[in-house]
Amino acid sequence: QVQLVESGGGLVQAGGSLRLSCVASGGSFSNYAMGWFRQAPGKEREFVAAIRTNGDSTYYAHSVKGRCTISRDNAKNTVDLQIGSLKTEDTAVYYCAASTRMIQLLPPSSVVDFWGKGTQVTVSS
């Protein structure tokens, strides 16, 4: 029932920054914890970051901790992912995800109720 649409992906040079955005519709956005996942070619999808329903708590994968900020605006039904100091290893399709509780989004279980279609991020050296 919930639809998620990502935007903001593109080509960026290593060392730069990028802001991804996800807008939700078709459900009560404030009732869902939100997260970001990514999948590089030939690799499994991996968890990146998550944020609680009210935005008072966040959790990051070790690979992006210190370079990444997840935020949400419940009035706009959006969740953003700011990534800095981009590396070529960050190249992937980034997916927005929703779940009832933030703990469900965390690895290793990563139980997701709704997925976005993804947005491509390509980091060049």
Side-chain angles (χ1 to χ4, degrees), residues 6-77:
E6 304 93 335
S7 63
L11 178 64
V12 62
Q13 288 186 329
S17 61
L18 199 64
R19 185 188 67 219
L20 306 180
S21 184
C22 172
V23 60
S25 62
S28 182
F29 181 74
S30 61
N31 286 341
Y32 290 95
M34 302 298 298
W36 287 92
F37 293 75
R38 66 185 182 185
Q39 186 168 21
K43 297 183 178 180
E44 295 183 349
R45 189 171 300 188
E46 65 175 349
F47 170 82
V48 177
I51 187 168
R52 287 180 63 179
T53 55
N54 60 1
D56 67 346
S57 183
T58 58
Y59 188 86
Y60 299 94
H62 183 71
S63 60
V64 300
K65 189 174 297 183
R67 302 189 296 119
C68 181
T69 301
I70 186 172
S71 60
R72 68 188 297 159
D73 187 338
N74 286 350
K76 297 181 178 180
N77 291 355

Side-chain angles (χ1 to χ4, degrees), residues 48-122:
V48 177
I51 187 168
R52 287 180 63 179
T53 55
N54 60 1
D56 67 346
S57 183
T58 58
Y59 188 86
Y60 299 94
H62 183 71
S63 60
V64 300
K65 189 174 297 183
R67 302 189 296 119
C68 181
T69 301
I70 186 172
S71 60
R72 68 188 297 159
D73 187 338
N74 286 350
K76 297 181 178 180
N77 291 355
T78 58
V79 58
D80 289 1
L81 183 71
Q82 180 77 32
I83 312 175
S85 300
L86 283 163
K87 310 172 182 179
T88 55
E89 305 93 273
D90 294 320
T91 295
V93 176
Y94 283 72
Y95 297 90
C96 181
S99 191
T100 306
R101 301 284 187 271
M102 188 178 77
I103 190 171
Q104 298 182 55
L105 297 171
L106 308 185
S109 54
S110 295
V111 177
V112 175
D113 294 331
F114 303 99
W115 290 100
K117 68 181 185 302
T119 185
Q120 177 71 50
V121 173
T122 303

